[in-house]
Amino acid sequence: MPVPEWLRLRRDKNVQAEDASLWEKCPKCNEMLYRKDLGASQWVCPRCGYHFRMHAYDRINSLVDGDFVEIGTDILPTDPLGWVDKRPYKAKLDRDREKSKLSEAVVTGFATLDGFPVALGVMDFNFRGGTMGTVVGERITNLLEEARRRRLPCIVFTASGGARMEEGMLALMQMAKTTQAVQRFMADGNLFMTVLTDPTTGGVSASFAFQADLIVAEARAAIGFAGRRVIEQTIRQKLPDNFQTAEFLLEKGHVDMVVDRRELRETLVRLLDYAVDRSRLTPTLKAVPEFALQ
Amino acid sequence: MPVPEWLRLRRDKNVQAEDASLWEKCPKCNEMLYRKDLGASQWVCPRCGYHFRMHAYDRINSLVDGDFVEIGTDILPTDPLGWVDKRPYKAKLDRDREKSKLSEAVVTGFATLDGFPVALGVMDFNFRGGTMGTVVGERITNLLEEARRRRLPCIVFTASGGARMEEGMLALMQMAKTTQAVQRFMADGNLFMTVLTDPTTGGVSASFAFQADLIVAEARAAIGFAGRRVIEQTIRQKLPDNFQTAEFLLEKGHVDMVVDRRELRETLVRLLDYAVDRSRLTPTLKAVPEFALQ
Amino acid sequence: MNLIVEREKGLVELEARVTALRERDAASDEVRVLERKVEELRRDIFGHLTPWERVNMARHPKRPIASDYLAALDRFDELHGDRHFRDDPALIAGFAKLNGRRVMVLAQQKGRDTKENIRRNFGMVSPEGYRKARRLMELASHLGLPIVTFVDTTGADPGIGSEERSQAEAIAACLTTLTEANVPIVATIIGEGGSGGALAIALADHVIMAENAVYSVASPEGCAAILWGDSARAPEAAEHLKLTSQDLLGFGIIDEIVAEPLGGAHRDAAGFVGRMLATIDNALAGLAPLSADALRDARYTKYRRIGARRDESGPRMASVLT
Amino acid sequence: MNLIVEREKGLVELEARVTALRERDAASDEVRVLERKVEELRRDIFGHLTPWERVNMARHPKRPIASDYLAALDRFDELHGDRHFRDDPALIAGFAKLNGRRVMVLAQQKGRDTKENIRRNFGMVSPEGYRKARRLMELASHLGLPIVTFVDTTGADPGIGSEERSQAEAIAACLTTLTEANVPIVATIIGEGGSGGALAIALADHVIMAENAVYSVASPEGCAAILWGDSARAPEAAEHLKLTSQDLLGFGIIDEIVAEPLGGAHRDAAGFVGRMLATIDNALAGLAPLSADALRDARYTKYRRIGARRDESGPRMASVLT
Ligand SMILES: [Zn+2]
Ligand SMILES: [Zn+2]
């Protein structure tokens, strides 16, 4: 699986999922929104503030100063269990690749945010529901190892339905792998931040998502360990509407803050400014792609 | 305040508070008990299992193999605030000294338990309600420092109404002092155990009591931070009977285990046997008082 | 109803008859014929278990559970509580001696009967249980005691309270603490190893699995519900998930299998438990000489290599998005 | 009713009259006479405050509270939660910049009105608040940020829930974490410093106290209740407790006093808050060059010497009980 998509992606900043229609209906206020406007407003409904799920590259474009140097694109999925149900796993991967314009459920690389060089990982629900298989685990681990080598802060945006069933126990083991990588990274005194976006559940929430120094939740995102349906089936009753929302988690003390997407970049920059000593960044770390390609 | 009491204490293993009457009534089952029998049964009512509060020296005698080498007897109370209410603080100290046959609210020293050399601290409610003033803080700190120097495990029996009012902020600061001493002691990989006896509250519970590697609570002991009366006044209702009991705390996850006094020595020895590598104890550490006097 | 229990019925009856006959006349032809029949039946039922049959074996009501292993230790003293909120009975923990070796044990505990199962929450651990585990992992590190775990859970508790007290954080914290631990860690999968709730106490230097235990990314029911919206298709999911001990040994996810008697561990519970403990002891002996750093490095590498695949022909730094 | 508020009444009236007159004719005799009277009255009321009056000053409804200090920082971003159970509004914490310096701030927050006081639990912190504090102390250590605390509480929350979730453990853990912290710690007592609930965030390298703040082993009401079973005797207890800034400076329990305007900090809130922040900044500048080990050693010694008294003439190893 070579890289042709990326070349296309470079040109189109607001690449979106396969549905190429011009209009999108806000599921909260029913407003019909022009996709191009939505792209410009970071996929937040200008009328009611509803946060659409965001494509990884749109997210990256909304955050970084200039260039984004992607790494880990040579880490690509295989079919370790030879899984076939309705369709073979490989076919599912092909379809998601086509539909999402992504090679897997996370994009990793380097960039600067208001001049702060950071290692950045962004998960995308459009690819297999953001599930963590071996590629997500390996790319996140690789990102943390590369960031550790360069002593850069690392920020990961999570969006995940949990572990990827079709990779079985190999998927589950990515929880152990990523947790270990985070622990090593943080033990060196580096800053690890996560931004939990809609939805963040299962194996991703129970590993690196909730292991961070700072945990920011995007407004109204659904976040938890067990899925809502599983809980409802277990307790045999409907859950309150706010259950497992970012706001609920804030009250329960699970996250440091809840931020509206439109203020997210500014907030992250402010947090970096507190947590990272800007004066100690070496000149080579200040520019991309120089530092990333070391 | 020199040491004549101690010489007397050596001879009378079951020294008790000033009331020299021969009989004691069990407050739970109303049985009249012969004091000498009670002493032999570790101050546990043979009929209903009620645990009387125990004198520090009785406690020590019920635990140690042979000798107990007391240290810190040269750390003695003064009257730093010049406190006088109904009576001067100094007079209160004199009375408690007389009544309790103790020089302060904690006895510290070295002994062996089934051959395990340990640093041992035992608080006594008979002296100023077991309150922590500068002497308790200093003796506990001194014990931990001496134990750290010898790499001995340390066990402290708590019994305290909290901080000693008559020493004001100097008393409160003993929380900081003892906590720091425990932290240093444990940071070296030493074992710190506390046994919470009736009652353990306030500044003692919020410092070294709940800081230990292992926390054993004596059956039915009252343990908490705020006093029962304070809470009742705050919430303006009666508290349930089991509130702040050892058993309640076990259910709430605050203590490692609840142990009947009659099984306490055996339990502590078993815990030492797990936590301390007996084979690594040097021969000089195996005997008392040689190791203690180093 | 448990599939294996169903199938065993005839066999158990027959075995009882053989025993009775043998008492009367051990050398009779009838006994020999029946013995052969029992043997055949055993092989017939248990010789080639499907993954779904293994799931049922792992859930067999007579299968040894954590408390059976704890009872077979030289000594065990339970330690309680997370020091903050509650003592979780679904996770038993404490000091133990195993062949004279001082260890810290953490175990997921199902119940033997309905009453105990309710008290133990069917072995589904709540955040408090994981926080107790974490506290005692740290204590083990502090005291230099190896950590031994017994995994047996369908998964972490999925209740409202567990979400309210951050089950996710509790599990992640266990994984972090096991990563940091400066002592040997041996994990055993004795029954069901379900999802992150199992892994939380199974990130280890050496992972031992009972032959008929299962260990999977989700329970077969959960997997079927997630993928096909129908938990009744669990047998099919079990087929796909590669959750048997043989599969996992092949993937390098577990390190060792302890064989079970034909028909399952419960057919010789004491013997099997003893063999499992001996296997643990053996693993601990192997890990004992290693330094803390060596242990942690090997542990890192062990998980680091799972699923690491790089297309070496492709570019390392692939694209610059401008 | 607050004693100081009562006494101020006449003064405040008179001051208003002076201001009004001055606007009409600043040079009039009447103004000068009244100004002198105001001055006298001020000195009369506030010149020699008793300890109990100081307690009332510390509880004055207009006294600057934590949020007033936070608002005067260059910048403050609140961080929430203990990651386990709840975000406690009685303890505000977060990143801040103070004169360009990056710091971690922890503050006990009372309310300005009844509604906020209920939400803030009158500044009485629950275990979750102390656990949030502890988490952020550790984060500050991890990131190398100095810790600055603002103490203003009658004491730790004494409710049922706080006992159920181990208030004692939560406070002890804060003390342990401050002991371990590898960064400078500056604590300020801005209003009431009540008991272990205050100390939990006040074990520090440098402790600054507002002149009219109080800091005591128990609230005067609590002390009176404990000793004499009568909380109404609080004024008497205040007299005994040696809880004023001057007393505590004498004992070496605090390191520095920030003077208040005659009549209390609230009579020039902005000015006082500014001076307090400048004093903190100055203390941080002094601590900045010290290494982590030097900080921890000095911190240990600082508390180690409080109340250490040995009768050097007496025996070191006094008795052997046989
Ligand atoms: Zn809308
Ligand atoms: Zn009785």
Side-chain angles (χ1 to χ4, degrees):
Chain A
M1 182 52 37
V3 226
E5 274 107 351
W6 316 124
L7 297 169
R8 268 196 285 132
L9 281 170
R10 286 194 214 174
R11 326 239 168 269
D12 179 6
K13 286 208 174 192
N14 293 316
V15 64
Q16 260 292 318
E18 63 186 315
D19 175 10
S21 83
L22 289 170
W23 297 90
E24 192 85 42
K25 187 173 164 187
C26 173
K28 200 177 157 203
C29 73
N30 291 322
E31 183 86 349
M32 286 307 294
L33 302 161
Y34 191 41
R35 285 178 71 89
K36 218 165 184 176
D37 290 347
L38 262 178
S41 68
Q42 298 179 69
W43 293 87
V44 175
C45 170
R47 189 169 164 215
C48 75
Y50 177 80
H51 287 43
F52 287 82
R53 285 176 187 162
M54 209 171 175
H55 190 277
Y57 285 106
D58 281 346
R59 175 74 76 180
I60 292 167
N61 276 316
S62 76
L63 293 169
V64 307
D65 295 334
D67 290 351
F68 173 71
V69 180
E70 186 170 356
I71 63 168
T73 50
D74 54 340
I75 302 162
L76 294 169
T78 58
D79 178 19
L81 308 194
W83 185 292
V84 181
D85 48 44
K86 272 165 295 182
R87 285 170 303 143
Y89 176 45
K90 287 208 176 210
K92 296 184 193 178
L93 290 172
D94 284 338
R95 205 198 56 170
D96 280 14
R97 201 145 36 206
E98 190 54 40
K99 190 184 66 159
S100 69
K101 314 287 187 224
L102 290 164
S103 64
E104 250 286 355
V106 70
V107 175
T108 56
F110 298 106
T112 62
L113 263 73
D114 196 35
F116 282 105
V118 294
L120 189 63
V122 179
M123 298 188 73
D124 194 317
F125 195 75
N126 294 304
F127 194 101
R128 299 271 85 211
T131 49
M132 175 156 71
T134 54
V135 172
V136 169
E138 181 64 21
R139 285 191 183 173
I140 294 282
T141 301
N142 178 57
L143 180 72
L144 287 157
E145 288 177 342
E146 296 292 335
R148 179 168 177 254
R149 202 157 67 80
R150 296 173 174 82
R151 305 192 64 80
L152 291 178
C154 180
I155 306 176
V156 175
F157 285 69
T158 60
S160 177
R164 188 165 309 165
M165 293 301 126
E166 295 91 341
E167 297 191 18
M169 281 296 285
L170 295 166
L172 191 73
M173 290 300 121
Q174 304 311 309
M175 288 175 68
K177 184 158 88 177
T178 54
T179 303
Q180 290 202 329
V182 171
Q183 192 275 332
R184 279 216 168 173
F185 176 75
M186 286 172 63
D188 279 4
N190 299 305
L191 175 73
F192 182 53
M193 243 198 279
T194 49
V195 182
L196 314 185
T197 77
D198 188 67
T200 295
T201 60
V204 165
S205 65
S207 60
F208 58 87
F210 274 100
Q211 210 185 347
D213 284 314
L214 293 170
I215 304 177
V216 175
E218 206 168 53
R220 284 169 289 277
I223 302 161
F225 175 66
R228 215 184 149 84
R229 260 186 311 170
V230 175
I231 302 170
E232 283 182 339
Q233 277 164 20
T234 307
I235 63 167
R236 286 160 215 274
Q237 62 189 66
K238 286 283 277 183
L239 291 163
D241 269 355
N242 75 330
F243 188 70
Q244 291 189 326
T245 60
E247 293 72 18
F248 173 88
L249 263 62
L250 184 71
E251 195 187 299
K252 296 294 177 192
H254 305 184
V255 297
D256 285 289
M257 48 175 72
V258 174
V259 181
D260 186 292
R261 188 181 292 157
R262 288 161 289 190
E263 286 153 24
L264 189 54
R265 180 177 193 275
E266 185 197 324
T267 303
L268 294 178
V269 168
R270 236 171 31 241
L271 292 174
L272 285 168
D273 192 44
Y274 289 121
V276 178
D277 188 351
R278 209 190 264 256
S279 71
R280 281 172 59 191
L281 297 173
T282 58
T284 54
L285 288 183
K286 286 186 181 159
V288 167
E290 289 94 313
F291 76 88
L293 294 167
Q294 279 166 6
Chain B
M1 181 57 31
V3 226
E5 276 109 347
W6 315 125
L7 296 168
R8 268 196 285 132
L9 282 169
R10 287 195 213 172
R11 325 237 169 272
D12 178 6
K13 287 210 174 190
N14 294 316
V15 65
Q16 261 292 317
E18 63 188 314
D19 175 12
S21 84
L22 289 171
W23 297 90
E24 192 86 41
K25 189 173 165 185
C26 173
K28 198 176 158 202
C29 75
N30 292 323
E31 184 85 349
M32 286 306 294
L33 301 162
Y34 192 39
R35 284 179 70 88
K36 217 164 182 176
D37 291 348
L38 261 179
S41 68
Q42 298 179 69
W43 293 88
V44 174
C45 171
R47 192 172 161 211
C48 75
Y50 176 80
H51 287 44
F52 288 81
R53 285 175 187 163
M54 208 171 177
H55 190 276
Y57 285 106
D58 282 346
R59 175 74 76 178
I60 292 166
N61 276 316
S62 77
L63 292 170
V64 307
D65 296 334
D67 291 349
F68 173 72
V69 180
E70 187 170 356
I71 63 168
T73 52
D74 53 342
I75 302 162
L76 294 168
T78 58
D79 178 17
L81 308 194
W83 185 292
V84 181
D85 49 44
K86 273 165 295 186
R87 285 170 303 143
Y89 177 45
K90 286 208 177 209
K92 295 185 193 178
L93 290 172
D94 284 339
R95 207 198 55 172
D96 281 13
R97 200 144 38 207
E98 190 54 40
K99 192 186 65 162
S100 69
K101 313 286 186 228
L102 290 165
S103 63
E104 249 286 358
V106 70
V107 175
T108 56
F110 298 106
T112 63
L113 261 74
D114 197 35
F116 282 105
V118 294
L120 188 63
V122 179
M123 299 188 75
D124 195 316
F125 194 77
N126 293 304
F127 195 100
R128 301 273 83 210
T131 49
M132 174 157 70
T134 54
V135 172
V136 169
E138 181 64 21
R139 285 192 184 172
I140 294 281
T141 301
N142 178 56
L143 181 72
L144 287 158
E145 287 177 342
E146 296 291 335
R148 180 168 176 253
R149 203 157 67 80
R150 295 172 176 83
R151 305 193 64 81
L152 291 178
C154 180
I155 306 176
V156 176
F157 285 69
T158 60
S160 177
R164 189 165 308 164
M165 293 301 127
E166 295 92 340
E167 298 192 17
M169 281 296 285
L170 294 166
L172 190 73
M173 290 300 121
Q174 305 309 310
M175 289 175 68
K177 184 156 90 179
T178 54
T179 303
Q180 290 202 328
V182 171
Q183 192 274 332
R184 278 216 169 173
F185 176 75
M186 286 171 63
D188 279 5
N190 299 305
L191 175 73
F192 182 54
M193 242 197 281
T194 49
V195 182
L196 314 185
T197 77
D198 188 67
T200 296
T201 58
V204 165
S205 65
S207 59
F208 58 86
F210 274 100
Q211 212 185 347
D213 284 314
L214 294 169
I215 304 177
V216 175
E218 206 167 53
R220 285 170 289 278
I223 303 161
F225 176 66
R228 214 185 148 83
R229 260 185 311 169
V230 174
I231 301 170
E232 283 182 338
Q233 276 164 22
T234 307
I235 62 167
R236 286 159 215 275
Q237 62 188 69
K238 288 282 278 181
L239 291 163
D241 268 356
N242 75 331
F243 187 71
Q244 291 189 327
T245 59
E247 292 73 18
F248 173 86
L249 263 62
L250 183 71
E251 196 186 299
K252 297 293 177 193
H254 305 186
V255 298
D256 285 289
M257 48 175 71
V258 173
V259 180
D260 187 290
R261 188 181 292 158
R262 290 162 289 191
E263 286 153 25
L264 190 53
R265 179 178 193 276
E266 185 197 322
T267 303
L268 294 179
V269 168
R270 235 171 30 242
L271 292 175
L272 285 168
D273 192 43
Y274 289 121
V276 178
D277 187 351
R278 209 189 266 256
S279 70
R280 281 171 60 191
L281 297 171
T282 58
T284 54
L285 287 181
K286 284 185 180 161
V288 169
E290 290 94 313
F291 76 90
L293 294 167
Q294 277 166 6
Chain C
M1 189 52 172
N2 188 291
L3 204 68
I4 300 293
V5 173
E6 279 301 330
R7 301 233 181 121
E8 271 177 342
K9 271 183 184 161
L11 175 65
V12 170
E13 237 164 69
L14 206 60
E15 285 173 329
R17 249 173 68 203
V18 175
T19 310
L21 280 173
R22 207 189 277 132
E23 265 167 31
R24 262 186 283 156
D25 178 6
S28 79
D29 280 357
E30 199 186 351
V31 167
R32 260 187 305 144
V33 169
L34 274 179
E35 274 176 344
R36 203 173 314 133
K37 202 165 167 200
V38 162
E39 201 51 44
E40 269 168 35
L41 200 54
R42 269 196 203 130
R43 222 167 302 146
D44 197 40
I45 303 177
F46 303 115
H48 298 91
L49 293 177
T50 65
W52 179 242
E53 285 164 351
R54 299 237 187 197
V55 171
N56 280 270
M57 192 67 102
R59 293 172 181 171
H60 194 290
K62 290 190 174 157
R63 188 170 178 84
I65 53 178
S67 47
D68 298 314
Y69 294 84
L70 299 182
L73 293 161
D74 307 354
R75 201 193 264 179
F76 174 71
D77 276 272
E78 189 169 359
L79 302 173
H80 295 271
D82 66 346
R83 295 259 170 109
H84 289 187
F85 187 79
R86 192 173 74 104
D87 183 55
D88 183 355
L91 191 136
I92 298 182
F95 289 129
K97 290 228 182 169
L98 195 172
N99 277 6
R101 204 185 287 280
R102 305 173 301 127
V103 298
M104 179 69 76
V105 168
L106 308 169
Q108 287 159 340
Q109 177 68 38
K110 293 182 178 178
R112 232 343 140 217
D113 51 41
T114 308
K115 198 181 149 203
E116 204 200 346
N117 252 324
I118 287 167
R119 189 166 95 80
R120 303 288 187 187
N121 196 29
F122 298 84
M124 294 186 297
V125 179
S126 300
E128 301 77 64
Y130 291 114
R131 290 180 182 133
K132 166 166 65 176
R134 187 193 176 198
R135 174 173 83 83
L136 294 172
M137 291 167 190
E138 284 179 347
L139 181 60
S141 270
H142 181 223
L143 299 174
L145 303 183
I147 296 166
V148 175
T149 73
F150 296 93
V151 173
D152 192 11
T153 188
T154 314
D157 175 63
I160 291 186
S162 290
E163 292 294 318
E164 286 179 339
R165 298 189 299 278
S166 203
Q167 186 69 280
E169 192 276 345
I171 293 172
C174 272
L175 296 173
T176 305
T177 306
L178 287 173
T179 298
E180 289 168 333
N182 58 14
V183 292
I185 309 166
V186 173
T188 68
I189 320 293
I190 57 172
E192 284 185 278
S195 180
L199 179 63
I201 62 165
L203 190 166
D205 300 312
H206 194 83
V207 181
I208 303 166
M209 196 161 162
E211 185 185 358
N212 291 320
V214 294
Y215 190 9
S216 65
V217 64
S219 69
E221 290 83 355
C223 175
I226 290 167
L227 287 183
W228 312 308
D230 180 7
S231 59
R233 286 170 67 184
E236 193 183 335
E239 207 64 49
H240 284 90
L241 281 165
K242 300 280 187 283
L243 44 62
T244 71
S245 55
Q246 288 85 346
D247 289 328
L248 298 173
L249 192 67
F251 286 123
I253 284 170
I254 64 161
D255 302 288
E256 193 170 2
I257 295 173
V258 179
E260 298 188 21
L262 197 66
H266 61 285
R267 299 200 132 242
D268 174 23
F272 182 77
V273 165
R275 285 197 299 285
M276 178 60 86
L277 295 183
T279 310
I280 296 168
D281 185 49
N282 194 46
L284 289 172
L287 294 165
L290 299 179
S291 72
D293 281 340
L295 284 167
R296 277 186 295 231
D297 282 348
R299 203 179 297 148
Y300 191 88
T301 310
K302 176 188 163 93
Y303 290 96
R304 181 70 191 82
R305 68 180 167 67
I306 298 179
R309 255 177 322 283
R310 223 177 241 287
D311 181 353
E312 296 297 343
S313 64
R316 182 99 183 283
M317 300 281 171
S319 61
V320 179
L321 184 70
T322 324
Chain D
M1 188 51 173
N2 188 293
L3 205 67
I4 300 293
V5 173
E6 278 302 329
R7 301 231 180 123
E8 271 177 341
K9 270 185 186 159
L11 176 65
V12 169
E13 237 165 67
L14 207 60
E15 284 174 329
R17 250 174 67 203
V18 175
T19 309
L21 281 174
R22 207 188 277 131
E23 266 167 32
R24 260 186 285 155
D25 178 7
S28 79
D29 280 357
E30 199 188 348
V31 166
R32 259 188 305 143
V33 169
L34 275 177
E35 274 177 345
R36 205 174 313 134
K37 204 170 164 193
V38 162
E39 201 50 45
E40 269 169 36
L41 200 56
R42 268 195 206 133
R43 223 168 301 145
D44 198 41
I45 303 178
F46 303 116
H48 298 90
L49 293 177
T50 66
W52 178 242
E53 285 165 351
R54 299 238 187 197
V55 171
N56 280 268
M57 193 66 103
R59 293 172 180 170
H60 194 291
K62 289 190 175 157
R63 189 173 177 82
I65 53 178
S67 47
D68 298 315
Y69 295 84
L70 300 181
L73 293 161
D74 308 354
R75 202 192 262 179
F76 174 71
D77 276 271
E78 188 168 359
L79 301 172
H80 295 270
D82 65 347
R83 297 258 169 109
H84 289 188
F85 187 76
R86 193 172 74 102
D87 183 56
D88 183 355
L91 192 135
I92 298 183
F95 288 128
K97 289 229 180 166
L98 195 171
N99 277 5
R101 204 185 287 281
R102 304 174 300 126
V103 298
M104 179 69 76
V105 167
L106 308 169
Q108 287 159 342
Q109 177 68 39
K110 293 182 178 177
R112 232 343 139 216
D113 51 40
T114 308
K115 197 181 150 205
E116 204 200 346
N117 252 324
I118 286 166
R119 188 166 95 81
R120 303 289 186 185
N121 196 29
F122 298 84
M124 295 186 298
V125 179
S126 299
E128 301 77 65
Y130 291 114
R131 288 179 183 135
K132 167 167 63 176
R134 188 193 176 197
R135 173 174 83 83
L136 295 172
M137 292 166 189
E138 283 179 347
L139 180 60
S141 271
H142 181 224
L143 300 175
L145 302 183
I147 296 166
V148 174
T149 73
F150 296 92
V151 173
D152 192 12
T153 187
T154 313
D157 174 65
I160 291 186
S162 289
E163 292 294 318
E164 286 179 339
R165 299 188 298 278
S166 203
Q167 186 68 281
E169 193 276 344
I171 293 173
C174 273
L175 295 173
T176 305
T177 305
L178 288 173
T179 298
E180 289 168 334
N182 59 15
V183 292
I185 309 166
V186 173
T188 68
I189 320 294
I190 56 171
E192 286 186 277
S195 179
L199 179 63
I201 61 164
L203 191 166
D205 300 312
H206 194 82
V207 181
I208 303 167
M209 197 161 161
E211 185 185 356
N212 291 320
V214 294
Y215 190 9
S216 66
V217 65
S219 70
E221 289 83 354
C223 175
I226 289 168
L227 287 183
W228 312 308
D230 181 5
S231 59
R233 287 170 68 183
E236 194 183 334
E239 207 63 52
H240 285 90
L241 281 165
K242 300 280 186 283
L243 43 63
T244 70
S245 55
Q246 287 86 347
D247 288 329
L248 298 173
L249 191 67
F251 286 124
I253 284 172
I254 64 160
D255 302 287
E256 192 172 2
I257 295 173
V258 178
E260 298 188 20
L262 197 67
H266 62 285
R267 300 200 131 243
D268 173 24
F272 182 77
V273 165
R275 284 197 299 286
M276 178 60 86
L277 295 183
T279 310
I280 296 168
D281 185 47
N282 193 46
L284 289 172
L287 294 165
L290 299 178
S291 73
D293 281 341
L295 283 167
R296 277 186 295 231
D297 282 350
R299 203 179 296 149
Y300 191 88
T301 309
K302 175 187 164 96
Y303 290 96
R304 181 71 190 81
R305 68 180 166 68
I306 299 179
R309 255 178 320 282
R310 223 177 239 288
D311 181 354
E312 295 297 344
S313 64
R316 182 99 185 280
M317 300 283 170
S319 61
V320 179
L321 184 70
T322 324

